[in-house]
Amino acid sequence: MASFAERLRKQAGRLSRAQRQLAEFILQNEPRAAFMTAARLGAAVGVSESTVVRFAIALGYSGYPELQRDLQEELRARLSAADRLVLAEERGERAETILDTVLRTDMENIRAALASLPRDRFGEAVTALQGARTIYVVGHRSAAALAHYLGYYLQLMLRNARTLTQAGTVLEELMAVGPEDVVVGITFPRYARATADAFRLAARRGARTILITDSVVSPLVEDARIVLPARSESPSFADSLVAPLSLINALITAVALAQPDRVRAALRELEDIWDRQGTYLKEERRSDRIAAPGDAEGEGSP
């Protein structure tokens, strides 16, 4: 998918004077322009709203909303945390109203994931995780929290998962990776170089690669066999990890339900260890939530 700048270069000779003025304004004021409505952008340049819409169509977009989304996605991949906070202030975000804005954005991110996630690719990811010799879960910066969460539960269930979140040693820890292994990479704008390097190494060594990221145009996509997109858009400088976490929860649950006997046995053994160690204040056998086929009551019931 061509970026705004690429589209602009291809169509520059065909643009009208007013459209060239719009292009120049956007390039010079990109952080602010990316969040302007068509009417506001037109007013800032001194052209009509319809001219802004025609400008977007001239660049090959379906309309101004698609152009705006493109600008925002490109911007999010480059902005520093401080820049993103400035943008939030420029959009008029306030501490007293931000709760509603953040929660609405999180809900929209989940709705978008539900609508866009390819079910067949999700199924392929579950199958790959089940059949892996070793699962490596790679995530850095804020995505490290998601990597730890996914790696923790895969290790509990399958006992063959390793979580790699240390940038300085991740390539060394992947030296033994091969075609029988699965590498799950988790990254969001601004994409971590350590995750990209690890993912590239895994792909080169023939490992099955699963990418959890914000978009199918993520720079790591070319090294991924399976891409599972989940938006991380946020009105704040901090990425929203709600939709990616929901996706990861679905992966964990699907893996467990695909082989309940194996997972239930592993969890019950762990429960006995935890009971002896007094790990929890109150005993809770979460393994019993995975019912054996045909169980109505007793040992296999939730």
Side-chain angles (χ1 to χ4, degrees):
M1 187 181 297
S3 67
F4 171 78
E6 290 169 342
R7 292 171 185 259
L8 190 57
R9 280 195 296 270
K10 290 179 180 179
Q11 301 296 328
R14 301 184 180 91
L15 298 179
S16 67
R17 180 183 176 186
Q19 290 172 341
R20 289 197 298 272
Q21 289 175 329
L22 282 167
E24 183 176 352
F25 180 86
I26 291 173
L27 292 174
Q28 292 179 356
N29 302 273
E30 189 177 7
R32 188 159 57 99
F35 294 92
M36 283 181 164
T37 64
R40 284 185 59 198
L41 178 58
V45 178
V47 300
S48 66
E49 181 177 355
S50 60
T51 299
V52 176
V53 174
R54 287 195 295 272
F55 170 65
I57 294 173
L59 293 183
Y61 293 104
S62 60
Y64 180 72
E66 186 181 6
L67 182 153
Q68 188 180 47
R69 282 194 300 271
D70 197 357
L71 289 175
Q72 290 174 3
E73 288 180 5
E74 291 180 25
L75 192 61
R76 288 177 63 244
R78 299 195 306 272
L79 288 182
S80 68
D83 290 336
R84 292 171 68 177
L85 182 58
V86 169
L87 280 179
E89 294 171 337
E90 288 187 354
R91 291 197 302 267
E93 304 292 355
R94 296 291 181 269
E96 57 271 19
T97 60
I98 196 63
L99 174 63
D100 291 346
T101 303
V102 168
L103 293 183
R104 280 197 299 268
T105 303
D106 286 344
M107 288 189 289
E108 286 302 318
N109 287 344
I110 290 178
R111 289 191 189 100
L114 189 61
S116 63
L117 263 170
R119 302 307 192 266
D120 56 340
R121 305 303 277 168
F122 178 85
E124 290 174 18
V126 172
T127 300
L129 291 171
Q130 291 180 76
R133 176 181 63 182
T134 303
I135 302 169
Y136 298 90
V137 184
V138 183
H140 297 93
R141 316 296 296 178
S142 61
L146 295 176
H148 277 294
Y149 186 85
L150 177 58
Y152 172 78
Y153 279 107
L154 289 176
Q155 175 61 19
L156 285 187
M157 296 187 298
L158 305 179
R159 303 184 181 182
N160 63 347
R162 296 179 59 187
T163 303
L164 310 181
T165 57
Q166 298 299 318
T169 61
V170 64
L171 295 182
E172 297 171 16
E173 295 184 78
L174 283 172
M175 288 304 294
V177 73
E180 296 178 345
D181 303 314
V182 169
V183 176
V184 182
I186 307 174
T187 189
F188 301 92
R190 296 175 288 169
Y191 309 98
R193 182 178 299 277
T195 303
D197 291 343
F199 216 58
R200 190 174 302 113
L201 173 63
R204 191 166 63 242
R205 289 179 172 269
R208 287 167 289 177
T209 49
I210 301 171
L211 178 62
I212 299 175
T213 190
D214 64 308
S215 167
V216 293
V217 296
S218 164
L220 280 73
V221 165
E222 63 183 30
D223 292 314
R225 292 198 188 181
I226 300 171
V227 180
L228 301 177
R231 284 186 354 190
S232 60
E233 290 185 14
S234 169
S236 167
F237 65 91
D239 285 329
S240 169
L241 302 181
V242 172
L245 181 58
S246 187
L247 167 60
I248 287 170
N249 276 336
L251 277 175
I252 292 168
T253 305
V255 169
L257 292 176
Q259 41 189 342
D261 292 339
R262 175 185 176 184
V263 173
R264 187 164 45 248
L267 294 182
R268 283 177 175 161
E269 184 177 345
L270 282 167
E271 291 286 2
D272 291 337
I273 295 172
W274 293 335
D275 289 348
R276 290 195 297 271
Q277 293 178 338
T279 302
Y280 296 106
L281 294 176
K282 182 180 179 181
E283 180 182 347
E284 181 189 29
R285 288 192 173 275
R286 299 186 68 185
S287 56
D288 288 342
R289 297 182 184 179
I290 304 175
D295 279 356
E297 296 180 356
E299 190 177 85
S301 8

